[in-house]
Amino acid sequence: MRSISNMSPLAALCYFMAVIGVVMFVRDLVIATVSLLFAVLFYVVGCGLKDIKSHVYTLIFFVLIAVLNPFFYHNGATVLFVLGDNPITLEAIVYGVASAEMVVAVIYWFRSFTEIMTSDKLLSLFGAVSPKFSLMLSMILRFVPLFSRQSKDVKNAQRALGMYKDDNIVDTVRVGARIFSGVSGWALENGIITADSMAARGYGAAKRTSFSLYRSKRSDVIFIIITAVMLAAVMFGAAFGTPFRFYPETVVPGDFFSLAMYATYALLCAASSLLEIHEVAKWKYLTSKI
């Protein structure tokens, strides 16, 4: 079985929709914890620890969500302490941690999604069904790094001209607004130029054919079927098992359906990391034989 990054775009899309959909719509602390652990593991295995700042910002975001929730919501029977007139309950803390884990897990899954599902894969996936949608989606994904790069260029140019100082908050806010205004104008102008260029080349004049470098193999079909079966098992467990209860007291379900749901979802989330680790180990083994 190939890794997720080497599978067909349809197989990768089905997998990410399954793991992200479950953690978003099943409010469960165990589900959120499992999803977060394997989302971070998959991203680190596939992309490494590049861009440490983004990981630090995500950790700060996680702490803010988890810590602030019990200060605004005071439901729950287990009061840990009272801050002013506001009781801080264990249940509110658990709910805040679960919410933070869910949000950060979705962020990391989407980070891996953007690394794997490149614009050419999206074009090949949606090109035959909706060419306009696939073109618009690929252009949006393309403009995100271009917008960021142009912002850095404008900021460096203005810093070189001495237009603001790093330790001056007023100048920093002012130049940020100026950079955003300039880059927004650049993006609109670039979009108009792109549209005129496409019209000049006859885009939309007739029905277009589609070509794709990616072909679904037997392993891809098997992986899609396994993903669908495991997703159905998770949904079955969520429907018939005992739901995770946050209020008035936190209760972790221990019935058969709930435990089966946790095990199945953990295996589903772990599949991406296991396949990626197997691919890396196989590559290192083959290169060592050269």
Side-chain angles (χ1 to χ4, degrees):
M1 187 73 70
R2 299 177 295 167
S3 63
I4 303 294
S5 57
N6 294 328
M7 289 184 181
S8 66
L10 180 59
L13 179 65
C14 291
Y15 178 79
F16 282 110
M17 289 178 61
V19 294
I20 294 174
V22 171
V23 72
M24 287 181 62
F25 296 106
V26 179
R27 300 308 301 268
D28 192 300
L29 177 63
V30 179
I31 291 291
T33 303
V34 169
S35 183
L36 176 61
L37 291 176
F38 286 109
V40 174
L41 177 62
F42 180 53
Y43 184 79
V44 171
V45 171
C47 304
L49 292 175
K50 62 180 183 179
D51 195 9
I52 301 296
K53 286 185 178 180
S54 64
H55 298 286
V56 175
Y57 292 150
T58 306
L59 178 61
I60 295 174
F61 183 62
F62 174 87
V63 173
L64 286 176
I65 297 177
V67 171
L68 291 179
N69 184 76
F71 289 96
F72 290 95
Y73 298 95
H74 311 290
N75 299 330
T78 309
V79 179
L80 299 179
F81 59 92
V82 178
L83 186 63
D85 294 330
N86 300 320
I88 305 300
T89 63
L90 175 64
E91 289 76 16
I93 294 176
V94 173
Y95 190 86
V97 171
S99 300
E101 288 180 341
M102 184 270 291
V103 173
V104 175
V106 171
I107 291 175
Y108 271 100
W109 282 123
F110 271 111
R111 282 181 179 177
S112 300
F113 178 84
T114 55
E115 291 287 340
I116 293 175
M117 297 296 292
T118 55
S119 58
D120 56 334
K121 290 185 178 181
L122 292 175
L123 278 173
S124 66
L125 188 61
F126 298 105
V129 179
S130 179
K132 293 183 179 180
F133 173 75
S134 62
L135 178 63
M136 181 184 67
L137 188 60
S138 63
M139 290 181 67
I140 291 174
L141 295 177
R142 174 178 173 268
F143 265 106
V144 170
L146 288 179
F147 196 91
S148 177
R149 192 180 305 121
Q150 184 69 12
S151 300
K152 291 180 181 179
D153 292 341
V154 174
K155 183 178 180 180
N156 292 333
Q158 293 189 354
R159 180 183 285 113
L161 293 173
M163 299 182 65
Y164 71 101
K165 299 179 180 179
D166 291 336
D167 56 350
N168 192 322
I169 299 178
V170 177
D171 287 345
T172 302
V173 174
R174 186 181 303 166
V175 79
R178 191 184 299 118
I179 290 173
F180 180 77
S181 176
V183 176
S184 298
W186 166 84
L188 293 174
E189 182 181 0
N190 200 359
I192 294 173
I193 294 174
T194 303
D196 292 340
S197 176
M198 293 174 63
R201 298 180 183 185
Y203 181 83
K207 186 176 180 180
R208 299 174 62 88
T209 58
S210 60
F211 172 76
S212 176
L213 293 173
Y214 306 97
R215 294 290 184 269
S216 295
K217 299 181 179 180
R218 182 180 300 177
S219 59
D220 299 325
V221 177
I222 295 175
F223 184 78
I224 293 175
I225 294 174
I226 294 175
T227 301
V229 171
M230 297 179 73
L231 177 62
V234 172
M235 292 295 99
F236 186 86
F240 294 97
T242 303
F244 190 97
R245 193 172 68 187
F246 291 96
Y247 302 109
E249 293 181 348
T250 300
V251 177
V252 181
D255 59 291
F256 172 77
F257 290 108
S258 298
L259 295 178
M261 176 185 68
Y262 295 150
T264 305
Y265 185 69
L267 185 59
L268 179 63
C269 293
S272 56
S273 300
L274 293 176
L275 291 175
E276 195 71 29
I277 293 173
H278 174 266
E279 194 76 10
V280 172
K282 182 179 179 181
W283 172 256
K284 292 184 176 180
Y285 173 76
L286 293 177
T287 52
S288 64
K289 296 294 184 180
I290 298 176

